[in-house]
Amino acid sequence: MIELSKAEFEVLDAVWINYPATASEVIARLSDDKEWHEKTIKTLLSRLVKKGALSFEKQGRQYNYTPCIAREEYTLKESQSFIERFFNGHIAPLVSGFAKSEQLSQHDIDELKKVIDDWEKQQK
Amino acid sequence: MIELSKAEFEVLDAVWINYPATASEVIARLSDDKEWHEKTIKTLLSRLVKKGALSFEKQGRQYNYTPCIAREEYTLKESQSFIERFFNGHIAPLVSGFAKSEQLSQHDIDELKKVIDDWEKQQK
DNA sequence: AATTTAAGATTACACGCGTAATCAATTAAT
DNA sequence: ATTAATTGATTACGCGTGTAATCTTAAATT
């Protein structure tokens, strides 16, 4: 599995919004939430390329970056390893923890029900 | 929030099994799964103390370590920040990702249903 | 009493990460 | 044609982490 740092993921996340994307586009997308220096973001883009999370094509003197993995794929892998580490591979205890600490809204519950519904339909 | 590294968490996890626990007990508990050197584990115990995750009492020349936080409390915080980072604070998409990739067993579904049931009962 | 052992304290060290600054080269502007 | 600006490449640097080795001191053994 490609291992990304927190900051690297956030940059990749900005590319996922819409790609291919140039460095300046990524910098623009991040400028609202982050106080990162332009140079910092470019460093992170390079590291993402080096790690195989981004590819690029030259367009004049700029690069057009494209993710090498889908967001869903990456977050699934991360979720698996998270749940493995903290809950021995079982997802229910995580949800249960949220429930106990009153972190769940009716909306969350509805969404969860739908997930379960869909799962059961698909079983048949 | 106390920030623990992966290795630190695994050592703390071995203390949570049963405490107070001496260094040798922790080392013994970890020896099955891990190839860690005894010195490595002691380093991690010290770092956990320094970070305020463990406290200890002297017992002769040994220390008796006790966690300063409950496992549930720690994993809840970690889960929150994980779900915030990857799923914008919503838990259902995580579960949904598992479902789509066929990571859910009937048993998981049953447990999730129970969590939902309990939540709804408690709402009334 | 002297010596060995063992526990925790201190030190070590390379690598990844956050956070840029500087360098080199090419394009845009004058 | 020069010069200025901008892009990606390279270099920097302190801190955390994984992974111990060495040091110090007190207890256990002989």
Side-chain angles (χ1 to χ4, degrees):
Chain A
M1 181 167 71
I2 296 178
E3 296 276 0
L4 304 182
S5 77
K6 249 169 137 165
E8 284 160 0
F9 175 79
E10 294 191 62
V11 171
L12 179 53
D13 217 7
V15 180
W16 272 321
I17 291 173
N18 189 32
Y19 52 84
T22 65
S24 351
E25 283 169 343
V26 174
I27 290 166
R29 286 173 199 172
L30 288 166
S31 67
D32 290 337
D33 310 294
K34 292 288 165 183
E35 300 291 299
W36 284 336
H37 195 286
E38 159 216 2
K39 301 291 189 184
T40 299
I41 297 175
K42 288 188 175 187
T43 297
L44 292 168
L45 284 169
S46 306
R47 289 182 185 170
L48 284 164
V49 169
K50 196 172 179 187
K51 288 190 177 184
L54 282 181
S55 68
F56 64 86
E57 294 213 344
K58 262 184 194 157
Q59 173 91 112
R61 68 168 156 169
Q62 301 195 152
Y63 287 177
N64 268 70
Y65 295 95
T66 306
C68 300
I69 18 168
R71 194 183 197 283
E72 293 68 38
E73 193 186 332
Y74 182 78
T75 56
L76 177 64
K77 294 263 173 69
E78 282 298 316
S79 302
Q80 283 170 191
S81 92
F82 180 86
I83 288 179
E84 189 59 46
R85 294 198 310 118
F86 291 102
F87 301 101
N88 237 282
H90 296 288
I91 197 171
L94 190 166
V95 182
S96 165
F98 266 62
K100 267 187 216 144
S101 62
E102 287 155 45
Q103 309 271 315
L104 293 186
S105 66
Q106 181 65 55
H107 182 66
D108 292 324
I109 293 288
D110 292 345
E111 285 187 313
L112 286 172
K113 279 182 175 171
K114 181 156 185 342
V115 172
I116 291 174
D117 253 38
D118 292 349
W119 185 89
E120 290 184 326
K121 268 179 208 151
Q122 205 216 308
Q123 284 319 94
K124 289 184 299 202
Chain B
M1 182 166 70
I2 296 179
E3 297 276 359
L4 304 181
S5 78
K6 249 169 135 163
E8 284 159 0
F9 174 79
E10 294 191 63
V11 171
L12 179 53
D13 216 7
V15 180
W16 271 320
I17 290 173
N18 190 32
Y19 50 85
T22 64
S24 348
E25 284 168 343
V26 174
I27 291 167
R29 286 173 199 171
L30 288 167
S31 67
D32 290 337
D33 311 293
K34 292 288 167 183
E35 300 290 300
W36 284 336
H37 194 286
E38 160 216 2
K39 301 291 189 183
T40 300
I41 297 174
K42 287 188 174 186
T43 298
L44 292 169
L45 284 169
S46 305
R47 289 182 185 171
L48 284 164
V49 169
K50 196 171 179 187
K51 288 188 176 185
L54 283 180
S55 68
F56 65 86
E57 294 214 344
K58 262 185 194 156
Q59 173 90 114
R61 68 169 158 171
Q62 301 195 150
Y63 288 178
N64 270 68
Y65 295 95
T66 305
C68 300
I69 19 166
R71 194 182 197 283
E72 293 68 40
E73 193 186 333
Y74 182 78
T75 56
L76 177 63
K77 294 263 173 69
E78 282 298 316
S79 302
Q80 284 171 191
S81 92
F82 180 86
I83 289 180
E84 188 60 45
R85 292 198 313 116
F86 291 103
F87 302 101
N88 237 284
H90 297 288
I91 197 171
L94 190 166
V95 182
S96 165
F98 266 61
K100 269 187 215 144
S101 61
E102 287 155 46
Q103 309 270 315
L104 293 186
S105 66
Q106 181 65 56
H107 183 65
D108 292 324
I109 293 288
D110 291 345
E111 285 187 312
L112 286 172
K113 279 181 176 172
K114 181 154 184 349
V115 172
I116 291 174
D117 253 36
D118 291 349
W119 185 88
E120 289 185 328
K121 269 179 207 150
Q122 206 216 308
Q123 284 319 94
K124 289 185 299 203

